[in-house]
Amino acid sequence: MNAFKLVHAVINKSDQFQLEMSDLLSAMTLTVSSETADIVIDLKQIPAVTTNHDEQSLLEVIQTAQDSHIQNVILVNHQLLISLDRQLMSQELLTQAKTEEWDLQTSEQSLRFTVDMSSPNLGRTMTLTHLRSTTVGEALSLMIEAAGHKVYRLNHIGDWGMAFARLIVAVRRWGLPDDDNPNIGYSKLQHHFYEESEFNPELDIEAAVVFNQLTHKDPKVMAEWKQICEISRKRFDDVYDLMNVHFTSETGESAYTEAALEVKQQLVDSNITSKELDAIIVHFPEKEIPQALIQTGENDSLYLTRDLAAAIDRHEKFHADYNWYVVGNEQATHFIQLKRILEMLGYDWANTISHLGIGFNSYQGRRLINSSGELISVNGLFNKVARRIMETYQFSEEEALRYSLGTIIFESVKYPRLDHFDIDLSTIIANEQYNGFSLMYYVETFSLYGEPNLSVPQRLSKEQWELLHLILAYPQKLAQGLQSGEPSELASFAYEIYLKHKNLVSQENNHPSIDYIVIKTLKNLLYVLNIPVKDTIGRE
Ligand SMILES: NC(=[NH2+])NCCC[C@H](N)C(=O)O
């Protein structure tokens, strides 16, 4: 049941008005309190309506359409106030919940998106920022699909650069890490390298030689590099499997080293670079953008230059309307430079690029380390939270892991992206709180009585209608979440529905048909956030 499409169709059926769905979407509110009306349309926000006469005609269009969903419509102070046939609307919400055909599209055309998400670095552990990029990126991808668009999920894996030369040297001296936790092992090796190189400058010299060999694709050194990458990669796949995240394309940065040289040449040829010693630099006309380093020595490539090559490749492959990068906000300048350089090269599609930044993330107030200062892997975090759930609620191991995943995923999407999020073991699994645990538990254990012959009550109480009325806003919440790139819009929407329903139940003012609509809608919202809720419908 999509009230936005309904109103849009009613108006556009006439020859007089052809409104854009996007205009209607921003002008139309399902009022918070349904006392005045069920739908308010602010006509000042609709470009096609400019005069009093237009306002009057629009009113008449809706009146003469005599759509059965619309009970009454009046014009007050440049606003259209629409009252709906509550029973009919509710009945249609019930049908939607039964058939699970969620009609959430509010866009006339289907658009194409790429979402750069996760993009961890091999040869070290996945950080909480990478984890949150994965969860936010996947939620956004599912939201894009739910809204009827096409998404390409892209993993731009960090597998190139000086860090790998250091790791190769470290592995030569101190051996490969053990199998249990290779990425923790690699991170320790990197750390060890830094400590040792303070006393032993030979290490840095050897790393520089290795990096040069890597740059020239020396087969023996490439084999050492490849081994490190493959071992490291497997662990990330375990995380993706657990979270049910599947990428359209996973390309290491190493795949762009040659294309990066071409981009460099293109920049030099367009006269937007300057050479300072061995370095090639772009100065921007805007003073506030810091100069960008394109190359430091012959034949090498830098993160930015590889990213420019990858962006061009992405555009050629996917021709997306939107290219999103869900990446830590400390890289804000990098993305400003990336976009501006593409503009300076004359790529008109540069405006499709948006950096959706991620704020600071912590575990118990710190980075992913335990109380004795040891690194924890993301898999380790899932297990830790699962263990805590098992102890607290006596869940089976399998159930605890599923709840752990759902809880961590929800926790990382429930705040606006740029806000700090902390995984606090004592609060994230507390029941009846604003967390993933409570929502999963609620939708999976709420007792629903029967399904087949449900129908909504003849007369809905005020509170009952207010809850269903809130659910009618789903397509708009989804559109707003996509507009701002914020899955948190849906997380807080789910929580609001949950609270209202709990309240209804405590007043014994619920009804099986309403329970059914609510639980199915909440489940759908959780699916769209990639929370692994069970398919089955409560206990009978
Ligand atoms: N296309 C991109 N730059 N994606 C993000 C890459 C993130 C990078 N690997 C990092 O961990 O910092």
Side-chain angles (χ1 to χ4, degrees):
M1 176 73 258
N2 188 323
F4 302 89
K5 254 164 76 177
L6 170 83
V7 174
H8 185 251
V10 166
I11 296 174
N12 282 23
K13 231 179 16 210
S14 76
D15 299 331
Q16 255 171 302
F17 291 95
Q18 290 302 309
L19 300 192
E20 296 287 335
M21 188 64 180
S22 54
D23 289 335
L24 190 63
L25 208 59
S26 39
M28 181 162 149
T29 2
L30 292 158
T31 42
V32 184
S33 151
S34 53
E35 308 243 300
T36 1
D38 297 315
I39 293 175
V40 176
I41 303 176
D42 180 5
L43 297 178
K44 294 193 294 303
Q45 289 196 54
I46 297 191
V49 178
T50 49
T51 61
N52 285 351
H53 178 75
D54 291 341
E55 290 184 355
Q56 197 58 39
S57 321
L58 189 58
L59 173 72
E60 279 158 26
V61 161
I62 299 177
Q63 280 167 338
T64 43
Q66 293 197 338
D67 188 285
S68 54
H69 301 87
I70 296 178
Q71 209 164 57
N72 189 28
V73 51
I74 51 172
L75 176 62
V76 184
N77 194 17
H78 310 290
Q79 292 187 326
L80 284 179
L81 305 186
I82 300 177
S83 311
L84 296 167
D85 181 326
R86 296 178 175 187
Q87 228 231 316
L88 180 57
M89 293 303 279
S90 309
Q91 199 57 48
E92 289 190 10
L93 276 179
L94 182 61
T95 308
Q96 168 173 280
K98 280 186 185 172
T99 58
E100 299 199 32
E101 280 168 17
W102 304 92
D103 187 2
L104 299 168
Q105 303 188 10
T106 48
S107 163
E108 278 124 312
Q109 346 68 331
S110 163
L111 302 166
R112 301 154 76 90
F113 290 71
T114 66
V115 178
D116 184 309
M117 52 192 256
S118 199
S119 306
N121 302 314
L122 300 185
R124 48 184 71 214
T125 51
M126 190 184 271
T127 64
L128 280 177
T129 304
H130 295 124
L131 173 64
R132 196 172 177 196
S133 161
T134 315
T135 57
V136 169
E138 179 61 19
L140 286 171
S141 300
L142 291 168
M143 285 162 68
I144 290 167
E145 288 171 339
H149 304 300
K150 175 85 195 146
V151 65
Y152 304 96
R153 296 164 172 85
L154 310 180
N155 197 1
H156 185 72
I157 297 171
D159 66 352
W160 199 250
M162 195 60 201
F164 288 87
R166 290 191 205 103
L167 258 185
I168 289 171
V169 174
V171 168
R172 281 179 189 170
R173 308 232 159 178
W174 305 304
L176 283 166
D178 66 44
D179 272 356
D180 282 356
N181 257 316
N183 287 326
I184 291 186
Y186 283 133
S187 292
K188 284 187 179 156
L189 279 177
Q190 308 241 20
H191 190 69
H192 199 55
F193 183 98
Y194 282 116
E195 282 181 345
E196 291 287 314
S197 61
E198 281 201 20
F199 309 103
N200 186 357
E202 259 174 45
L203 286 171
D204 282 324
I205 297 170
E206 189 180 338
V209 172
V210 168
F211 187 58
N212 190 34
Q213 289 168 317
L214 269 181
T215 310
H216 291 95
K217 311 258 146 109
D218 175 297
K220 189 178 148 284
V221 184
M222 287 298 278
E224 292 174 88
W225 164 79
K226 209 167 156 213
Q227 186 185 31
I228 294 175
C229 291
E230 280 172 358
I231 295 175
S232 176
R233 214 17 247 286
K234 281 209 192 83
R235 285 305 140 129
F236 294 151
D237 282 341
D238 295 344
V239 173
Y240 300 141
D241 284 347
L242 275 174
M243 293 202 294
N244 200 16
V245 169
H246 305 282
F247 296 96
T248 315
S249 150
E250 298 187 84
T251 314
E253 289 185 37
S254 60
Y256 295 106
T257 51
E258 258 121 69
L261 292 179
E262 287 165 29
V263 172
K264 180 215 66 183
Q265 201 49 48
Q266 212 181 332
L267 286 162
V268 172
D269 295 345
S270 327
N271 291 324
I272 47 178
T273 55
S274 58
K275 204 162 161 55
E276 290 170 28
L277 299 174
D278 274 345
I280 294 176
I281 293 174
V282 172
H283 293 276
F284 297 93
E286 298 81 3
K287 275 202 219 53
E288 63 280 10
I289 312 181
Q291 61 180 45
L293 207 51
I294 295 300
Q295 196 175 46
T296 49
E298 212 188 334
N299 278 331
D300 74 351
S301 69
L302 297 177
Y303 175 55
L304 174 62
T305 324
R306 291 192 294 272
D307 227 358
L308 285 163
I312 295 169
D313 180 50
R314 230 167 252 197
H315 172 73
E316 284 167 0
K317 280 203 181 104
F318 303 111
H319 282 280
D321 301 288
Y322 294 94
N323 291 291
W324 284 357
Y325 292 79
V326 185
V327 182
N329 206 44
E330 65 286 350
Q331 294 194 29
T333 305
H334 166 83
F335 285 104
I336 291 172
Q337 292 171 329
L338 177 88
K339 191 167 169 172
R340 190 69 186 101
I341 292 175
L342 290 169
E343 267 168 30
M344 286 158 79
L345 282 173
Y347 292 117
D348 58 359
W349 50 265
N351 62 2
T352 60
I353 290 181
S354 304
H355 172 215
L356 307 188
I358 301 277
F360 174 70
N361 311 296
S362 57
Y363 163 69
Q364 309 267 62
R366 307 192 282 185
R367 271 131 83 64
L368 268 185
I369 43 176
N370 66 16
S371 47
S372 29
E374 294 268 318
L375 272 176
I376 307 172
S377 64
V378 164
N379 309 49
L381 174 71
F382 292 154
N383 291 332
K384 252 182 184 324
V385 174
R387 221 167 306 127
R388 187 63 83 95
I389 292 175
M390 260 165 88
E391 286 160 16
T392 319
Y393 298 102
Q394 271 88 50
F395 278 22
S396 73
E397 204 171 320
E398 198 187 327
E399 285 298 271
L401 182 61
R402 189 167 64 80
Y403 268 75
S404 160
L405 283 163
T407 302
I408 292 171
I409 294 173
F410 191 86
E411 200 64 16
S412 62
V413 300
K414 84 175 192 198
Y415 302 103
R417 280 183 281 105
L418 288 172
D419 284 6
H420 171 205
F421 108 98
D422 181 53
I423 297 184
D424 181 344
L425 282 181
S426 62
T427 58
I428 67 168
I429 61 160
N431 200 9
E432 309 209 4
Q433 302 292 322
Y434 183 19
N435 59 33
F437 182 90
S438 308
L439 284 167
M440 284 175 85
Y441 194 69
Y442 194 71
V443 299
E444 289 185 1
T445 57
F446 193 87
S447 308
L448 291 168
Y449 305 100
E451 169 194 348
N453 301 319
L454 285 179
S455 58
V456 291
Q458 282 291 332
R459 282 191 60 81
L460 295 158
S461 72
K462 176 171 165 289
E463 291 79 13
Q464 287 177 336
W465 170 246
E466 270 181 5
L467 175 54
L468 297 180
H469 188 231
L470 178 66
I471 290 177
L472 281 178
Y474 188 3
Q476 192 177 36
K477 294 278 178 188
L478 179 66
Q480 284 164 348
L482 283 179
Q483 184 84 35
S484 53
E486 293 284 8
S488 58
E489 295 268 2
L490 291 193
S492 56
F493 183 52
Y495 189 60
E496 208 183 332
I497 295 174
Y498 155 86
L499 281 184
K500 270 203 155 62
H501 186 246
K502 243 174 59 163
N503 203 17
L504 211 62
V505 173
S506 70
Q507 293 166 359
E508 296 183 14
N509 190 4
N510 57 325
H511 181 275
S513 65
I514 295 175
D515 299 341
Y516 189 87
I517 295 171
V518 167
I519 299 296
K520 280 285 193 107
T521 306
L522 280 177
K523 276 197 175 177
N524 184 262
L525 275 160
L526 293 178
Y527 286 138
V528 173
L529 293 172
N530 198 32
I531 312 293
V533 274
K534 271 212 294 243
D535 234 2
T536 49
I537 281 295
R539 296 194 238 100
E540 299 283 305

